[in-house]
Amino acid sequence: MMPKLTLKKKKSKAKKKRLSSNWQVQSPRTATMFKQLQIAIKRLTPSWQACIPIAILIVMVWGYAAVAQDAPAAEGPTTAELKVALDTLWVAIAAFLVFFMNAGFCMLETGFCRQKNAVNVLAKNLIVFALATVAFWAIGFGLMFGDGNPFIGLNGWFLSGADNSPATNDAYQGVFGSLKWAGVPLAAKFLFQLVFAGTAATIVSGAVAERIKFVDFLIFSLLLVGIAYPLTGHWVWGGGWLQTRGFWDFAGCTVVHSVGGWAALMGAAFLGPRLGKYQDGQSVAFPGHNLSIATLGTLILWLGWFGFNPGSTMAADPNAITHIALTTNMGGAAGGIAATITAWLYLGKPDLSMIINGILAGLVSVTASCAFISIGSSLIIGLVGGVLVVFAVTLFDKIKIDDPVGATSVHLVCGIWGTLAVGLFAAGPGVYSWYGEGLGPTKGLLLGGGLGQLITQLIGIVTVGGITVLLSTIFWLALKATLGIRVTPEEEFEGLDIGEHGMEAYSGFLKEGSSSGFSDTGKHGGMPNSPGEYVK
C-alpha cells in the first residue's frame, strides 16, 4: 500500500509541475505579475486585505450600472413640479426667518426693560406665538383669507374646506380664492401668514410692559390675532374692499405694523404710565437693564426682515427677491443713520437706543413699498423714518403715553409713513415685472404720478386704524372691567418677575441700587433713559 500511494503522489506533483511550467511558458509576464500581486497582498495589514473583496464588489456594481444605463430612464419631475418645490422651499425658509424674529423681540424688549421684569417680558413674547398659532388656525386664517364678502371671510375655519393648491388662478378650486395667485401648497400659505399674525401680537407686548397682568395680555393676544388682525387683513390681502379699491401694502406696513401699533397705543393709554414715571411734570428715567441683548435682538430682527419682505413674493423669483432684499436693507441702514444724526443733534449724544429704533423704523418704513420702489427711493423712505422715530418717541413721552420700548413710535408712526410712501414713491405698473402685468400701485406723486394712489393709501390708513382702535378699546375696556388689566402697586414695585411668575431672571445677581425701585438719578439732562422715556 505505501509504495503505491507514494507513486501516486509523485505522479500528481509531476503533473502539477508540467501544468505550471506550461502556464509560465505560455504566459510568463502574467505569472510574474500574479506572483508580485500575491506578495503585495501578503504585505498588507489584515484590515486592508479585508477591503479587497469590497473593492471587487464595487467594481462589479459599477459595471452593472454601466450596462443598466442602456435601459430606459425613469421619468423625473416636470418643470412645473420643480417650480412648486422651489417656491415652497423659499416660502418655508422665509417663514422660518420671520418666526426667528420672535427671538429678536424677546431680546429687544427684555433689554429695554428693567431687570426685575425680564422674566415677564420673555414669557409674554414666548407664549404669544403659541397662542397666535391656535387662534389663527381656528378662526383667524378663515376670517382673513376665506371666501366671503368685501368685509369678512366666511370659510376655512380650522384650515378646512375645499382647496387644490398649488393650482393657481383659473385652475384653483377652493375656499381661499384670495390666495390663488400663490403656487404653493395650502400649508405653506398658512405657515407664512401665521408668522405675520404672531408678529402683530408681539408688537403690543413692548408697549404694555412692566405693569400689565399676564393673563390679560394672553387674552388680548387671542382676541387680536383671532378677530381684529384678520378682519382688517381681509380688507387688504383677503380680496376685501380696500384691495379692490387699489390699496397696496406689499408686506404689511398697515396690515401688520400699524395694526399692532394701534393696539399697543390703546393698551398703553388704558394702562397708564408706570409708577414714578412722571413726577413734577417731568419724565423720570427708567433705564433699560441690558442694551447688549437689545442690540442682539435688533440684529436678529434685521435678519428676519429678509424673510418678512422678500418672502412676501411667495415665489422663488430671483429678481424679485434680490431687489426687495436690497430695498429692505437700504431702508434699515438709512433709518439707523438718520436716527443717529437726529438724536445727536436733538438730544446731544448718539444714543444707542435711538440707533436701534432708527434701524427698525427704516425697516418698517419700506415694508409696504419694497417691491414697488427703486433703491434710491428706499434710501429716502428710510431716512424719513429714522428722523420720525426720534421725534415720535419724545412726543409720546410728552403726552404721557408710557411705552418702555418705543413700539408705537416704530410700528405705528413709521407704519403709517411707510403706507403713505407707496403713494409717493411707487415706480408704477410695468416697471417691475414680478407683481404681474399691469398690476401694482400707480406711479407715485413724487415721480410724476397723480394724487390718486396717495389718497387711496390714506383711506386705508384711516379705516384700518379706526376699526383697530375701536376693537382694541372694546377689548381693553372689557378686560379692565372684568379682570383688571394692571398689577397691584406692590407687585409693580417688587417686579412682575416675582409677582406674576415667582422667579427671577438673574437670581443671585445685584438688583437696582435704589430702594425706591426706580433710577437713582431720575434726570439725565436731556439724555434718553430707554426708547420711550426722554427728559427735556
Side-chain angles (χ1 to χ4, degrees), residues 12-354:
S12 176
K13 288 181 180 180
K15 185 176 180 180
K16 289 180 180 179
K17 188 173 181 181
R18 286 198 305 273
L19 291 173
S20 176
S21 300
N22 292 338
W23 180 73
Q24 289 180 7
V25 171
Q26 293 174 0
S27 176
R29 184 179 300 176
T30 304
T32 303
M33 290 176 61
F34 183 74
K35 286 184 179 180
Q36 290 176 347
L37 181 62
Q38 284 182 318
I39 295 171
I41 291 173
K42 288 180 180 179
R43 290 177 179 176
L44 294 175
T45 62
S47 59
W48 279 106
Q49 290 179 12
C51 293
I52 295 174
I54 299 175
I56 295 172
L57 181 62
I58 292 173
V59 172
M60 292 174 64
V61 171
W62 276 349
Y64 175 79
V67 174
Q69 285 180 354
D70 297 332
E75 290 187 6
T78 64
T79 303
E81 291 172 338
L82 286 174
K83 184 180 187 309
V84 170
L86 288 174
D87 290 347
T88 304
L89 179 62
W90 165 241
V91 171
I93 291 172
F96 301 155
L97 285 172
V98 179
F99 168 78
F100 192 53
M101 291 175 76
N102 286 284
F105 280 116
C106 277
M107 298 295 97
L108 176 70
E109 294 177 15
T110 303
F112 276 159
C113 290
R114 289 171 291 178
Q115 173 183 325
K116 63 183 181 180
N117 298 308
V119 167
N120 182 256
V121 175
L122 290 169
K124 287 190 300 179
N125 279 277
L126 188 60
I127 195 63
V128 71
F129 187 77
L131 293 171
T133 297
V134 176
F136 201 63
W137 166 71
I139 186 173
F141 190 76
L143 283 175
M144 191 164 179
F145 296 104
D147 293 344
N149 57 54
F151 297 96
I152 191 170
L154 299 172
N155 289 285
W157 320 122
F158 299 97
L159 209 61
S160 62
D163 182 87
N164 67 337
S165 298
T168 59
N169 301 321
D170 294 337
Y172 177 79
Q173 295 177 355
V175 298
F176 302 106
S178 59
L179 291 173
K180 65 182 181 181
W181 57 272
V184 295
L186 178 61
K189 298 175 185 178
F190 172 77
L191 177 65
F192 189 73
Q193 295 300 331
L194 167 63
V195 292
F196 272 48
T199 300
T202 306
I203 292 169
V204 181
S205 172
V208 299
E210 301 200 294
R211 73 267 200 205
I212 192 172
K213 288 184 177 179
F214 189 67
V215 65
D216 288 83
F217 175 76
L218 301 186
I219 295 172
F220 181 84
S221 299
L222 283 170
L223 294 171
L224 180 68
V225 176
I227 299 174
Y229 169 79
L231 179 63
T232 54
H234 180 79
W235 298 355
V236 181
W237 291 345
W241 69 275
L242 279 175
Q243 186 175 22
T244 56
R245 185 182 174 88
F247 178 87
W248 287 90
D249 183 5
F250 184 74
C253 261
T254 289
V255 175
V256 180
H257 296 287
S258 289
V259 166
W262 284 118
L265 176 63
M266 301 314 297
F270 283 116
L271 275 168
R274 290 165 292 175
L275 292 177
K277 178 66 182 73
Y278 301 106
Q279 299 179 22
D280 301 324
Q282 291 188 328
S283 177
V284 177
F286 291 172
H289 83 283
N290 194 332
L291 291 183
S292 297
I293 63 172
T295 303
L296 174 61
T298 304
L299 291 170
I300 293 173
L301 290 171
W302 198 341
L303 172 65
W305 240 285
F306 292 123
F308 203 97
N309 287 2
S312 296
T313 58
M314 299 286 279
D317 184 328
N319 293 323
I321 291 170
T322 51
H323 178 84
I324 295 168
L326 287 176
T327 55
T328 298
N329 188 68
M330 183 61 75
I337 294 169
T340 303
I341 296 172
T342 304
W344 208 334
L345 296 175
Y346 181 49
L347 302 171
K349 295 288 184 179
D351 173 60
L352 175 59
S353 67
M354 275 293 104

